[in-house]
Amino acid sequence: MFAFSYAQTVTADEIAECPDLETQVRLLHREGYREIILIGHSAGGVIARQFVEDHPDCGVTKVIQVCAPNAGSGWAKWQTVRSNQIDFLDSLTKPARRRSLSARADKQIPVNVEFACVVGTGAVVGDGLVSNRSQYTPDLQRQGIPAYPFNSTHWMVLRSQKGVELVARLVREAQPRWDAQRVDAVRRRLPGD
């Protein structure tokens, strides 16, 4: 297992571009790892997504996003953090994520990378911090990315046995792209915001 930790002192976009992340993932690939799976919770999911979009040939085989604010979170504007974390939090606001998604509109999840979203639904329209619509954005839906609603709040998904079991199952099982009918069926189960 490999963990990539980061200080929350620059934007999520800058973290995804960090040369150390690319270097370490490519090293795993060169060392012969045939499966390199990134699991990203919250901002980590945004970072993992952008990383594979920008480095489709780095060796990553699967990404599991958990409660990722792909389209931002209204809570990110409440800057009750240290002053050196403000840029990071700003990068997760709805306007910042909208700008990022717009600037990256030509980016897609590489077809050779399996991808899945765990959508926290413990607060009905989201996980209490990130809305369902932000976790499972229309661009991911158009790409046929699988989504798995999970009745839990943002902080508890990976602290519950059932949440960990779900992520472990998604890691073990293939995550092929879904057709429009299957995407629509899950989307209809996710109340809007």
Side-chain angles (χ1 to χ4, degrees), residues 93-171:
T93 63
K94 290 179 180 182
R97 295 303 316 144
R98 190 171 25 254
R99 284 190 302 273
S100 182
L101 287 174
S102 177
R104 300 176 59 78
D106 63 326
K107 301 286 185 174
Q108 299 281 312
I109 307 299
V111 294
N112 62 319
V113 176
E114 295 179 28
F115 200 100
C117 299
V118 175
V119 179
T121 61
V124 183
V125 296
D127 64 11
L129 285 180
V130 184
S131 71
N132 294 334
R133 185 172 198 79
S134 179
Q135 294 177 67
Y136 194 43
T137 53
D139 66 299
L140 292 175
Q141 295 170 30
R142 282 190 298 275
Q143 293 180 65
I145 300 299
Y148 300 89
F150 186 74
N151 185 17
S152 185
T153 59
H154 189 82
W155 300 114
M156 295 309 295
V157 172
L158 292 177
R159 292 184 179 157
S160 70
Q161 181 174 341
K162 288 186 178 186
V164 171
E165 288 172 354
L166 171 61
V167 171
R169 181 173 60 83
L170 298 179
V171 165

Side-chain angles (χ1 to χ4, degrees), residues 1 5 11 20 27-28 39 51 78 83 86-87 130 146 149 160:
M1 181 169 7
S5 59
T11 68
D20 289 346
L27 179 63
L28 291 171
I39 301 170
F51 178 76
W78 299 98
S83 61
I86 289 175
D87 290 343
V130 184
S160 70

Side-chain angles (χ1 to χ4, degrees), residues 29-140:
H29 187 63
R30 279 195 305 273
E31 291 293 322
Y33 287 85
R34 291 189 317 242
E35 291 186 45
I36 300 174
I37 302 167
L38 304 181
I39 301 170
H41 175 255
S42 195
V46 171
I47 293 164
R49 173 188 176 170
Q50 288 188 200
F51 178 76
V52 298
E53 287 174 342
D54 292 343
H55 304 281
D57 62 342
C58 69
V60 172
T61 55
K62 186 182 291 186
V63 173
I64 309 295
Q65 279 192 330
V66 182
C67 302
N70 290 295
S73 171
W75 287 98
K77 67 183 176 189
W78 299 98
Q79 298 179 353
T80 56
V81 295
R82 295 183 190 114
S83 61
N84 65 344
Q85 293 176 300
I86 289 175
D87 290 343
F88 177 75
L89 204 55
D90 275 344
S91 74
L92 300 174
T93 63
K94 290 179 180 182
R97 295 303 316 144
R98 190 171 25 254
R99 284 190 302 273
S100 182
L101 287 174
S102 177
R104 300 176 59 78
D106 63 326
K107 301 286 185 174
Q108 299 281 312
I109 307 299
V111 294
N112 62 319
V113 176
E114 295 179 28
F115 200 100
C117 299
V118 175
V119 179
T121 61
V124 183
V125 296
D127 64 11
L129 285 180
V130 184
S131 71
N132 294 334
R133 185 172 198 79
S134 179
Q135 294 177 67
Y136 194 43
T137 53
D139 66 299
L140 292 175

